[in-house]
Amino acid sequence: MPVLLPLEQGVNFRDLGGYRTKDGQQIKANKVIRAASLGNLSPKDIDFLAEYGLRHDVDFRSSEEQENAPDKVPTGATYHFVPVFPEDETKSTAKDQRAKQFFTDLQAGFNNMLRAYHDIVLTDSAKKAYRHFFDVLLENSDEGRSVLFHCSAGKDRTGMGAIYLLTALGVDEATIKRDYLASNKYLAPWQEKQLAKRQLPKTGQEIYLTNLRALGSVNETYLETAMNVMQREYGSLENYLHNELALTKLQVADLKKIYLDRV
């Protein structure tokens, strides 16, 4: 099964190797990693990733996120900046006119995430980003070379990237959903530390914390929102991959050759 990488300052770094496909194959280890931000990695972490074979870093974050915490990558790794959104829709910011609702509306954070998952399917920037992601994956044919893809927390934009890749490789839906939801387990300690650092308002503290937890976690309903939009607009997830992300049958076959092994 997939391995949580033992990094000092990296959160939610997971090698997707080990997942089984429906036709009896298995994703290779040291080939594809999903992760949160690379902005806080230690020199030891960077050395670890270099030895792990990291050759491509796909960054789904916005320009503002990138500027606030630039990626730290091993020498020789190629950096790909492909923002899913023009700005981060998966968390609140001071500029967001909806931010004030996080102090008064118990459902504001949850509803914000539903909007983000709706947009992650439909926006042109998201489609362009995930198409580029597949282009990078298809370039990574040498053995022992890894592609890493990430956003800030490694749960939403990264989570959808993992869903698209695992679907293309033929992993079953139940396993894909478990991988998506596993971010809650791996992020929980880090998220609570972040919450503890925040200066809480004098009024509406519980509402505010509830909304921050909704913004900082994944939820089956978030995923269902994305899947329902795909079903309604495009017929299925598979249609979305082929028609909106322009992933051809030949490219799917190539991905399987690069990333799968017979068990």
Side-chain angles (χ1 to χ4, degrees):
M1 291 299 291
V3 173
L4 185 68
L5 300 187
L7 301 179
E8 293 179 335
Q9 299 296 327
V11 178
N12 203 15
F13 278 65
R14 288 183 264 157
D15 187 324
L16 294 181
Y19 280 134
R20 300 287 185 93
T21 64
K22 290 178 283 189
D23 64 354
Q25 298 186 81
Q26 181 172 285
I27 299 178
K28 299 174 184 176
N30 287 66
K31 286 298 291 180
V32 61
I33 303 162
R34 55 172 297 172
S37 175
L38 279 67
N40 296 316
L41 295 182
S42 69
K44 186 176 179 181
D45 292 336
I46 296 171
D47 288 343
F48 177 90
L49 291 173
E51 293 176 8
Y52 211 75
L54 179 60
R55 290 297 179 272
H56 295 278
D57 167 26
V58 180
D59 186 353
F60 290 140
R61 299 176 302 164
S62 67
S63 294
E64 182 179 4
E65 292 171 286
Q66 180 202 42
E67 291 168 6
N68 289 338
D71 279 6
K72 298 177 181 179
V73 297
T75 301
T78 302
Y79 176 70
H80 306 265
F81 178 57
V82 286
V84 168
F85 299 127
E87 59 183 58
D88 185 7
E89 294 191 21
T90 64
K91 66 179 181 181
S92 65
T93 69
K95 299 176 187 176
D96 192 336
Q97 63 180 355
R98 294 189 295 266
K100 60 185 179 181
Q101 297 176 351
F102 297 132
F103 300 95
T104 58
D105 180 358
L106 199 60
Q107 294 295 312
F110 181 80
N111 290 333
N112 188 86
M113 295 303 294
L114 298 186
R115 284 190 292 269
Y117 275 77
H118 176 274
D119 291 348
I120 213 168
V121 174
L122 295 178
T123 59
D124 289 339
S125 60
K127 294 175 184 178
K128 182 179 178 181
Y130 291 120
R131 176 62 243 189
H132 190 104
F133 172 49
F134 277 112
D135 288 338
V136 174
L137 290 165
L138 287 162
E139 291 176 18
N140 187 45
S141 57
D142 292 342
E143 289 298 320
R145 306 300 194 205
S146 301
V147 171
L148 181 149
F149 61 104
H150 78 98
C151 51
S152 288
K155 65 184 182 70
D156 303 304
R157 291 163 289 184
T158 301
M160 291 304 297
I163 287 165
Y164 296 153
L165 173 59
L166 295 176
T167 298
L169 293 177
V171 176
D172 67 272
E173 290 183 16
T175 300
I176 292 172
K177 182 182 287 187
R178 282 197 302 272
D179 178 75
Y180 168 78
L181 293 173
S183 283
N184 284 337
K185 172 184 175 182
Y186 296 122
L187 286 171
W190 178 78
Q191 293 284 14
E192 290 305 312
K193 287 180 182 178
Q194 300 306 305
L195 291 176
K197 295 177 183 177
R198 283 184 176 264
Q199 185 175 357
L200 297 178
K202 293 182 180 179
T203 58
Q205 286 190 14
E206 289 304 314
I207 294 175
Y208 183 61
L209 285 172
T210 296
N211 285 320
L212 289 183
R213 289 191 174 100
L215 294 167
S217 61
V218 291
N219 187 304
E220 285 193 40
T221 305
Y222 301 164
L223 181 55
E224 287 171 2
T225 295
M227 294 303 177
N228 288 340
V229 172
M230 281 185 218
Q231 183 69 35
R232 183 182 72 241
E233 299 294 331
Y234 308 110
S236 68
L237 171 53
E238 288 74 15
N239 285 350
Y240 185 82
L241 294 178
H242 293 307
N243 298 327
E244 299 305 307
L245 301 189
L247 190 65
T248 67
K249 291 182 179 180
L250 180 59
Q251 288 171 338
V252 169
D254 287 342
L255 286 170
K256 290 180 177 180
K257 289 177 184 176
I258 294 169
Y259 293 95
L260 298 182
D261 269 333
R262 284 286 172 190
V263 179

